Amino acid sequence: MSHVQQKTCCGVSRQDAIQEELLNNNEFITSKRAVKSVDKMVYIQGNEFSMGANDKDGFPADGEGPIRKVIVDSFYMDLTTVTNKDFSLFIEATGYKTDAEKYGWSFVFYQLLSKQMSKKVQQRAQATPWWCVVEGAYWRQPEGSDSDIADRMNHPVVHVSWNDAEAYCQWANKRLPTEAEWEFAARGGLHQKRYSWGDELTPGGVHYCNIWQGNFPYTNDEEDGYLGTAPAQSFPENGYGLYNMTGNVWEWCSDWFTKSIHKRGGRENPKGPNEGSNRVMRGGSYLCHDSYCNRYRVAARTSNTPDSSSGNIGFRCVTDI
């Protein structure tokens, strides 16, 4: 199919909802940094690769193409996205308050809400009404005050803004990946394949990622086993041993977002523009579906404001050699 509109089923911004005056950023506690460790990280040997794609069913407005040669240096990357367990250690050590907590609300997909919580929803994103503004939703209460993460400690932490992810990285003595590093790692050593594992979405009928199956946004057949997030270490890993580089949750990158290929930092270790309004997100989420938004392709990209959060946004870290 041909995508002529920029549809964003997976992404929603705080700017899409009526909001009060912005709150001041939390003062980050730097005196309790974690000991730097590459435990549960994968060594990624740097190299040149072909970045981007010219897919016919892609989104030219996103700046996916043209395909170009990019070089990245070697680095370590987390095997998985940061989990609820990981993030809880950060909170316990620092007392950090996320943007969702400071705003007092975050976006939740309507089918994940309890009946009681659904009745309390008073606001939805206009362009994407399946996103509900839920008071009290944050990383520890992903679907609002009547939910918890007791049985999801191994799931990706969600409702984390770019600001929150950056604060976690400072504490962990790591950093967010550049967009080039993220795509290089996601490809797992494959050249110009559509997905992290090849060109076929479900080779041999096997699901390799957590995305939407069925009639979006009404019926999810859950053929991959999940309506919301899956455990961070789910499905077959890619060629570099990384889990869920496709689907499950969007992953923040360090770069400011631009559609211009000339502003992304050149050919060697590009770091994106020096300024902007949105930060890059990669990988797609459990809400992506070919009928509306197929941004689970390895070259696909989108963005969001640094203070935005929702139930399908997470992150993973990298560190230099």
Side-chain angles (χ1 to χ4, degrees):
M1 62 181 293
S2 175
H3 295 269
V4 296
Q5 296 178 331
Q6 187 169 348
K7 300 177 178 180
T8 55
C9 61
C10 287
V12 64
S13 167
R14 288 200 185 276
Q15 296 178 354
D16 295 330
I18 300 173
Q19 54 183 281
E20 298 178 357
E21 184 179 351
L22 295 178
L23 301 177
N24 292 327
N25 284 335
N26 179 83
E27 284 194 16
F28 178 62
I29 300 174
T30 59
S31 61
K32 297 182 180 180
R33 285 185 176 176
V35 176
K36 184 173 183 179
S37 171
V38 294
D39 184 40
K40 298 181 181 179
M41 302 188 83
V42 173
Y43 173 74
I44 308 292
Q45 176 68 53
N47 208 335
E48 180 183 79
F49 78 109
S50 296
M51 186 172 181
N54 300 320
D55 294 343
K56 294 180 180 179
D57 60 349
F59 297 88
D62 287 351
E64 294 181 15
I67 299 171
R68 66 276 185 196
K69 296 292 185 181
V70 170
I71 296 172
V72 295
D73 291 338
S74 302
F75 58 96
Y76 286 97
M77 175 174 266
D78 287 347
L79 276 168
T80 71
T81 50
V82 172
T83 65
N84 285 316
K85 181 179 180 180
D86 298 328
F87 202 74
S88 66
L89 295 175
F90 160 61
I91 299 300
E92 291 169 7
T94 65
Y96 179 85
K97 297 293 184 183
T98 61
D99 279 336
E101 291 172 270
K102 290 183 287 184
Y103 279 104
W105 61 271
S106 191
F107 287 106
V108 181
F109 182 62
Y110 79 104
Q111 289 191 12
L112 298 177
L113 296 173
S114 67
K115 291 182 180 180
Q116 292 78 8
M117 191 58 63
S118 294
K119 294 177 181 178
K120 296 180 181 180
V121 172
Q122 298 182 352
Q123 187 178 355
R124 295 172 182 248
Q126 284 191 340
T128 53
W130 43 86
W131 282 117
C132 300
V133 173
V134 177
E135 301 290 335
Y138 72 111
W139 73 274
R140 203 185 294 273
Q141 299 176 170
E143 294 81 49
S145 58
D146 61 355
S147 65
D148 61 55
I149 55 172
D151 61 348
R152 288 180 275 181
M153 295 304 286
N154 63 341
H155 283 232
V157 64
V158 292
H159 297 295
V160 285
S161 67
W162 186 92
N163 299 326
D164 303 331
E166 181 70 8
Y168 176 95
C169 286
Q170 290 181 35
W171 170 76
N173 279 297
K174 298 180 181 181
R175 61 178 174 83
L176 289 172
T178 65
E179 184 176 16
E181 287 172 335
W182 190 96
E183 184 173 325
F184 178 71
R187 291 188 177 278
L190 300 178
H191 174 71
Q192 278 294 298
K193 295 299 183 181
R194 187 174 175 84
Y195 309 114
S196 294
W197 55 87
D199 288 324
E200 188 177 349
L201 181 58
T202 54
V206 177
H207 289 274
Y208 277 66
C209 63
N210 177 19
I211 57 176
W212 188 280
Q213 296 92 41
N215 180 20
F216 182 85
Y218 307 105
T219 305
N220 189 340
D221 298 333
E222 299 183 45
E223 294 173 0
D224 57 23
Y226 302 95
L227 175 62
T229 59
Q233 192 166 328
S234 299
F235 303 97
E237 67 269 35
N238 76 356
Y240 289 153
L242 301 167
Y243 290 89
N244 293 352
M245 296 297 286
T246 298
N248 214 23
V249 294
W250 283 103
E251 299 184 20
W252 289 112
C253 292
S254 61
D255 308 39
W256 288 110
F257 181 86
T258 180
K259 298 175 183 177
S260 170
I261 195 69
H262 303 294
K263 297 179 180 180
R264 297 187 199 173
R267 182 170 179 264
E268 295 188 20
N269 297 305
K271 292 180 171 62
N274 293 326
E275 58 184 7
S277 59
N278 285 23
R279 295 286 185 173
V280 172
M281 299 193 304
R282 299 295 298 259
S285 85
Y286 57 82
L287 293 179
C288 283
H289 187 263
D290 184 61
S291 68
Y292 195 88
C293 166
N294 65 358
R295 288 186 178 89
Y296 47 86
R297 293 169 296 107
V298 73
R301 60 200 302 262
T302 192
S303 69
N304 213 330
T305 58
D307 64 345
S308 290
S309 64
S310 66
N312 69 338
I313 299 178
F315 69 104
R316 78 178 72 210
C317 308
V318 300
T319 190
D320 297 319
I321 301 299

